[in-house]
Amino acid sequence: MMRIEIICTGDEVLTGKIVNTNFSYISQKLEDVGLSVRWETTVGDDRESLLRALRLAGERADAVIVNGGLGPTVDDLSQEVAAQAAGVELVLNDEWLTRMEEFFRRRSRLMPPNNRKQAMLPATAEVIDNPIGTACGFALDIGQARFFFTPGVPRELHRMLEEQIIPRLLAKSGMQTAIVLKRFHSYGLGESHVDALLRGVEELVPDGSVKLGFRAHYPQLETKLTVRGTDTEDTRRKLAPVEREVRKRLGNFILSEDDATLEGVVLAGLASRQGSLSIVETFTSGAIAARLAHLPGADKVFCRAVVARALGEVYAAVGLEGASATGELTRETAEAVARAARRQTHATHALAVLIDLDEGADRIDLGGTICLAIATEHEVASRRSRILGGREWVRLGAVEMGLDCLRRYLQNLPVYERIDFEKA
């Protein structure tokens, strides 16, 4: 097994002023292709700490990914310290300098003098292309390890890691490089439940080339199948029976696959019907509308959103002034609100997600009652649920439940199926 280390640089990362999402992204992507991180080191913006970290990693690891420190400012030290650790000179890379000058020229800007620093690389470095930024990555050997230096800007790191560094790591490890990652996104089933439901699916491919994994990020769960083969056709052949079995066992709880999102599936479902949507939501801070309204094509589908806290304000907004805003929140309440919102906006569909939050301080046993309804011209579908876990747990769960029930309705699936997160 290849020993991989990740070194993250920057005072803001070391002190916790920013969340180190780059480390989690790198480690997750490596895990997806069957590589694992053995050590993780975080260092600040000082030369000696970084130099010690590079030398130590060069002694104990086979491959090292260094993130950050490739910018044009005085505290960006990765190139200089890498050259020192490798015992080579720092030299100007004319090809990358030309690339940077062209980068600025295309944007009708003159390259600042300090950006020239980004083209100064260790003499033995292999340039790793950055198609969307001025900081090129580079690779070189320090001690016994191959080092890969990457920029701290997340979108630049993502391209570099996926397109260039991971293939190099796979080749260095001697692992099969034909890999397919299949992802299923679900709502309503916990990780242990899905693990039990999918027990044995890997054994459908007896050679052990299929690996099942999970990533829980409430309220969704991502189920991953990593498949290795001699070539793309081989991996697809192995994946097919496992993929079918996962769909069969998880059934209606699969809300999207691969890069598709729940909100994208909902929007596509409405657009395919030439439909339109109005939303009414309480306690969610408008999160349901925010998930949909910015998407490409939403301007042809999204009509209106009502965001309120008090039920009386909801009634006034949808034209139900005569209704009573007191008493228990019920499915019938949500149904009436959804019908009124649809009539008022002339949308083909209306979604109402109303939440009655428990009183008191936020705590793990604080809950909320969720009543939601989906109305069309001819019918209404609704459900009631109760979720515990604190204010944010309730809010996130209600948003996901509302969108998922609308997804189910558009796909002619049951709007109600009991989920693991609700209390009977």
Side-chain angles (χ1 to χ4, degrees):
M1 178 68 71
M2 186 164 62
R3 297 166 299 180
I4 299 175
E5 180 164 350
I6 297 175
I7 298 175
C8 297
T9 70
D11 287 341
E12 69 281 3
V13 175
L14 184 65
T15 59
K17 290 181 179 178
I18 66 168
V19 177
N20 190 1
T21 57
N22 281 353
F23 169 73
S24 59
Y25 183 85
I26 296 170
S27 58
Q28 183 65 54
K29 285 297 179 180
L30 294 179
E31 182 186 333
D32 286 343
V33 297
L35 299 170
S36 59
V37 178
R38 187 163 180 179
W39 298 282
E40 187 271 331
T41 304
T42 304
V43 297
D45 294 320
D46 72 277
R47 189 181 306 272
E48 290 306 314
S49 295
L50 181 55
L51 182 59
R52 284 195 301 270
L54 298 186
R55 285 175 171 168
L56 176 60
E59 293 171 359
R60 66 185 181 185
D62 300 309
V64 182
I65 298 173
V66 183
N67 183 239
L70 299 183
T73 59
V74 67
D75 59 342
D76 291 307
L77 302 171
S78 289
Q79 294 106 311
E80 299 173 40
V81 178
Q84 184 179 353
V88 299
E89 295 293 321
L90 201 63
V91 299
L92 179 67
N93 186 293
D94 291 318
E95 183 179 348
W96 190 255
L97 179 61
T98 302
R99 281 277 301 274
M100 284 197 299
E101 290 171 340
E102 179 62 24
F103 180 92
F104 282 95
R105 192 160 37 246
R106 288 198 306 269
R107 290 158 178 78
S108 301
R109 295 168 57 195
L110 184 66
M111 187 182 85
N114 62 346
N115 279 93
R116 183 183 175 90
K117 177 177 182 286
Q118 294 179 288
M120 298 295 295
L121 301 177
T124 56
E126 170 198 5
V127 174
I128 300 178
D129 187 30
N130 180 355
I132 55 176
T134 60
C136 71
F138 62 93
L140 83 164
D141 294 327
I142 300 173
Q144 67 178 16
R146 186 67 171 171
F147 279 69
F148 300 90
F149 289 80
T150 62
V153 179
R155 69 191 190 108
E156 297 177 20
L157 164 68
H158 296 178
R159 286 281 297 269
M160 197 175 291
L161 182 71
E162 295 174 30
E163 296 176 3
Q164 300 185 68
I165 295 176
I166 286 178
R168 285 171 167 86
L169 289 174
L170 289 172
K172 182 177 177 63
S173 71
M175 300 169 71
Q176 291 175 314
T177 56
I179 297 174
V180 172
L181 175 66
K182 179 67 184 177
R183 296 180 293 151
F184 300 89
H185 309 283
S186 60
Y187 165 69
L189 301 178
E191 185 174 356
S192 59
H193 190 172
V194 174
D195 185 46
L197 288 173
L198 298 182
R199 187 168 294 132
V201 294
E202 297 164 295
E203 297 166 14
L204 293 172
V205 181
D207 66 3
S209 57
V210 176
K211 178 186 175 185
L212 176 68
F214 304 98
R215 185 171 75 93
H217 50 112
Y218 178 82
Q220 289 190 16
L221 175 70
E222 182 182 282
T223 300
K224 303 178 295 182
L225 294 173
T226 305
V227 188
R228 299 182 178 280
T230 55
D231 51 38
T232 301
E233 184 178 346
D234 184 39
T235 56
R236 291 293 180 188
R237 178 182 56 79
K238 292 175 178 178
L239 175 63
V242 187
E243 192 176 355
R244 286 195 298 270
E245 191 64 18
V246 170
R247 289 199 188 98
K248 177 182 175 182
R249 297 190 192 185
L250 299 188
N252 300 338
F253 290 96
I254 296 175
L255 54 89
S256 67
E257 298 183 18
D258 298 320
D259 293 329
T261 63
L262 173 56
E263 52 268 33
V265 169
V266 167
L267 190 67
L270 288 164
S272 68
R273 295 166 169 75
Q274 296 185 313
S276 53
L277 176 68
S278 287
I279 297 171
V280 181
E281 47 188 314
T282 64
F283 181 63
T284 61
S285 303
I288 299 175
R291 292 267 293 269
L292 288 162
H294 72 286
L295 297 178
D299 55 311
K300 296 181 176 62
V301 172
F302 188 78
C303 289
R304 182 191 182 197
V306 173
V307 181
R309 287 297 297 264
L311 198 54
E313 294 173 359
V314 169
Y315 287 161
V318 299
L320 288 175
E321 287 91 344
S324 172
T326 60
E328 183 184 3
L329 180 64
T330 64
R331 289 172 57 177
E332 289 72 23
T333 306
E335 290 173 359
V337 168
R339 288 194 186 99
R342 194 205 64 78
R343 285 195 305 268
Q344 189 180 63
T345 59
H346 306 290
T348 62
H349 296 73
L351 170 66
V353 179
L354 309 179
I355 303 168
D356 184 12
L357 191 71
D358 294 351
E359 295 182 358
D362 196 13
R363 57 193 188 276
I364 193 66
D365 60 342
L366 184 83
T369 299
I370 303 163
C371 291
L372 66 86
I374 300 157
T376 64
E377 182 181 2
H378 302 294
E379 63 177 352
V380 62
S382 62
R383 71 162 294 178
R384 180 183 185 276
S385 181
R386 180 157 175 79
I387 294 179
L388 301 180
R391 297 172 67 90
E392 187 65 2
W393 193 270
V394 172
R395 186 183 74 84
L396 292 173
V399 170
E400 207 72 17
M401 183 181 292
L403 284 169
D404 191 55
C405 285
L406 182 53
R407 185 267 308 179
R408 286 169 169 267
Y409 184 86
L410 294 169
Q411 294 177 347
N412 297 314
L413 300 173
V415 167
Y416 174 75
E417 279 187 82
R418 180 164 174 77
I419 64 173
D420 292 342
F421 310 128
E422 64 184 332
K423 181 178 175 63

